[in-house]
Amino acid sequence: MAASGGVVVQFKTLLYTARMSQRLQGFIFDLDGVVVFTDKYHYLGWKRLADTQGWHLDETIGHQLRGVSRIPALEVILEHNGVTVSEDEKHRLADIKNEYYKAFLRDINEDDLYPGAVEFVERVRELGMKTALASASKNAEAVLEALRLAHLFDAVVTGNDITRSKPDPQVFLTAAERFGVEPSRCVVFEDAYSGIEAAHNAGMQAVGVGDPARLPNASLCMTDYSELSLEDIIERGLE
Ligand code: B16
Ligand code: MG
């Protein structure tokens, strides 16, 4: 009994040492545009608001809204249009956009999932990594629930848990704290320029999800999860 107990202890020590030598231990996923194509519905919600107000909004401006919290996103659109409104009016307009967005959410289904994302998160978990969902969206829980994704994550941080918009690192630092991994051992998957900045501001590495031309600040960019060599990333990080 004593001998087999000793073997178990040695095995656990070996496993622990192997884990500690790994560069990464925590994988943090943004939601909109990374796990689910709800980024499209955010854009269409803003576009509908802009059209009703007679404001210009195109996809180039739309990309600047990625990852940006609700009121700051509205302020980007107002600034592009040279429009000034009161704080109360900003909240009224943002509420209207949110209703448009929620109407799109009523119909979301598995076709809205980013191909390969769920399988990728499952593999990450099988390899013993901690996983977190970190989104600026106050609607993130509703999306996770509608698509039954919550079980994939050890921690979930949403727009309801944070007070500062990306590029502030708050959303990612909160995720790291919740799943108990040092920020320097975390990697963030992000579709937003501001989100990559936020990851770097948190002292984390970042994989850009989307066109590298719009994510020049990411050290690695991809559009297909099956392109990534997960074991290499875990051992060596992105450098
Ligand atoms: P809500 P993410 C972000 O989510 C979206 O990219 C961004 O377009 C949106 O304005 C923001 O959430 C706030 O969303 O209005 O639903 O609270 O990309 O951080 O998952
Ligand atoms: Mg996003």
Side-chain angles (χ1 to χ4, degrees):
M1 284 298 283
S4 78
V7 170
V8 170
V9 170
Q10 269 181 20
F11 182 66
K12 281 189 174 164
T13 310
L14 259 176
L15 265 184
Y16 180 76
T17 313
R19 256 185 76 98
M20 292 325 279
S21 70
Q22 286 168 346
R23 175 76 176 79
L24 296 175
Q25 295 175 359
F27 278 61
I28 302 179
F29 297 86
D30 173 57
L31 179 66
D32 303 320
V34 167
V35 178
V36 188
F37 285 132
T38 33
D39 49 333
K40 174 177 70 189
Y41 301 133
H42 277 294
Y43 174 71
L44 291 173
W46 287 123
K47 179 69 181 149
R48 188 163 167 204
L49 177 74
D51 289 348
T52 60
Q53 300 295 314
W55 302 333
H56 172 69
L57 176 59
D58 57 24
E59 292 199 2
T60 306
I61 301 171
H63 287 315
Q64 293 171 24
L65 310 178
R66 285 176 184 271
V68 179
S69 304
R70 209 175 292 173
I71 297 292
L74 173 66
E75 287 170 345
V76 170
I77 300 170
L78 294 174
E79 199 180 321
H80 271 286
N81 285 274
V83 173
T84 312
V85 298
S86 68
E87 290 305 306
D88 282 354
E89 181 64 357
K90 283 182 196 171
H91 284 276
R92 191 186 73 81
L93 291 164
D95 285 349
I96 294 172
K97 177 266 173 178
N98 194 45
E99 290 308 315
Y100 294 152
Y101 177 65
K102 287 200 300 190
F104 287 117
L105 288 190
R106 273 184 227 130
D107 295 326
I108 60 167
N109 58 59
E110 291 192 346
D111 293 342
D112 293 298
L113 288 169
Y114 197 118
V118 168
E119 294 76 6
F120 183 78
V121 181
E122 283 170 347
R123 273 184 59 219
V124 168
R125 291 174 70 81
E126 278 162 21
L127 291 171
M129 302 292 107
K130 294 283 184 193
T131 54
L133 190 285
S135 167
S137 176
K138 292 182 172 162
N139 293 292
E141 295 271 8
V143 173
L144 292 181
E145 203 172 304
L147 297 175
R148 297 190 174 82
L149 299 173
H151 68 281
L152 292 172
F153 304 103
D154 297 298
V156 171
V157 184
T158 74
N160 298 303
D161 302 304
I162 57 166
T163 51
R164 298 187 293 279
S165 187
K166 299 167 190 172
D168 189 284
Q170 186 185 23
V171 69
F172 298 134
L173 290 175
T174 306
E177 199 180 304
R178 287 195 184 166
F179 66 20
V181 177
E182 283 291 309
S184 63
R185 287 179 181 256
C186 292
V187 61
V188 173
F189 287 72
E190 253 295 349
D191 67 313
Y193 185 93
S194 62
I196 304 281
E197 290 299 285
H200 291 158
N201 289 337
M204 299 176 183
Q205 300 193 42
V207 175
V209 180
D211 183 355
R214 73 176 175 74
L215 297 168
N217 52 350
S219 40
L220 172 70
C221 259
M222 62 96 198
T223 52
D224 179 348
Y225 280 96
S226 68
E227 281 170 8
L228 293 174
S229 171
L230 188 49
E231 284 81 0
D232 280 357
I233 291 180
I234 291 170
E235 288 302 326
R236 291 195 281 277
L238 304 180
E239 286 95 18

